[in-house]
Amino acid sequence: MPVCPSGHTSDADDYCDVCGDLMDGAPRARFADPAPAPAPAPAPACPHCGAPRSGRFCEADGYDFEKGALHTVQLAAARAVRPRSAAEARPPGPPSPAGPGPAALIAADRAYFDRVVAQMGPDAAGLAFPPYCPERRVPLIGDQVRIGRRSTSRALLPEIDLSAPPEDPGVSHLHAVLLAQPDGTWRLVDPGSTNGTTLNDAADPIGVNVPVPVSDGDRVHVGAWTTITLFLQEGPP
């Protein structure tokens, strides 16, 4: 009869009947390597633009992950800011003179900033005029041109977007709106901004939700240092 390494006589030839030790010459059991842990699932991405998800709405284009589509407001905003051809941007009629159409010139205005600081007094201690802020020219396209700061989560995509650095801390997300009139003129409306909108160095801001006529060369002041000069005539400015 087989004898285990400890000296016990065993009827079995694989493991000792007495102590359970492995018998001499018996094959050892082999165990398969543990299966590798499954790879973590990739983070969901926006099917509309491919950006990684960080919440309910995509930060790039406002896609709603819960509803699986862009909101109607977001779709309208996306269409409003897409580039349009000259045929789409202008109503049918006789050709306009050569040169750019209505536009707005955005600049950091030191004189306006100094007036804001003087009016705020000690509360302006945290404000600083930007050392570098290049001018930007934005075409005025469509029946309404919104002025403010971009917020994809709130579906706010203003045509004159002042969220680019250096960001003016006094500008609301929807600060003001330029409205084109059927006769070719324009109106300026402040829908209720936090810090108000002034025109041409006026001491008092324009009234809330009161359309104010604007003309070529008028200067719209918003925030702490931003001045928007309007070029409303067709042809070269």
Side-chain angles (χ1 to χ4, degrees):
M1 297 180 68
V3 178
C4 78
S6 299
H8 303 122
T9 301
S10 173
D11 292 333
D13 57 1
D14 49 1
Y15 292 95
C16 176
D17 294 338
V18 178
C19 65
D21 199 1
L22 182 70
M23 302 294 288
D24 289 336
R28 294 182 177 272
R30 295 183 178 274
F31 299 93
D33 293 333
C46 175
H48 193 69
C49 69
R53 177 177 181 177
S54 59
R56 174 175 174 177
F57 297 100
C58 174
E59 285 298 324
D61 59 16
Y63 179 83
D64 189 335
F65 286 94
E66 293 186 5
K67 293 188 176 181
L70 289 174
H71 283 177
T72 303
V73 174
Q74 293 164 329
L75 283 170
R79 294 191 187 103
V81 298
R82 71 176 178 84
R84 291 190 282 181
S85 66
E88 292 177 308
R90 299 179 185 277
S96 61
L105 183 66
I106 306 165
D109 187 338
R110 185 58 191 246
Y112 168 60
F113 173 78
D114 290 342
R115 291 197 304 272
V116 171
V117 170
Q119 291 173 358
M120 293 181 64
D123 294 335
L127 288 178
F129 189 75
Y132 176 71
C133 186
E135 295 182 347
R136 292 187 294 128
R137 188 181 182 91
V138 178
L140 304 182
I141 300 175
D143 295 334
Q144 64 176 19
V145 178
R146 295 163 295 179
I147 302 170
R149 291 187 294 116
R150 177 188 180 96
S151 174
T152 54
S153 62
R154 296 171 58 182
L156 291 176
L157 305 173
E159 287 73 24
I160 298 180
D161 184 7
L162 302 178
S163 60
E167 186 174 4
D168 191 326
V171 176
S172 300
H173 283 290
L174 181 58
H175 198 106
V177 183
L178 289 166
L179 301 174
Q181 305 301 301
D183 60 359
T185 60
W186 290 79
R187 299 287 187 271
L188 175 66
V189 176
D190 185 325
S193 65
T194 301
N195 297 306
T197 304
T198 56
L199 187 63
N200 293 330
D201 302 331
D204 298 322
I206 64 175
V208 175
N209 280 325
V210 178
V212 177
V214 289
S215 304
D216 185 64
D218 279 349
R219 288 165 292 119
V220 180
H221 307 290
V222 297
W225 59 67
T226 303
T227 292
I228 303 170
T229 304
L230 304 178
F231 296 97
L232 305 180
Q233 300 294 331
E234 295 286 352

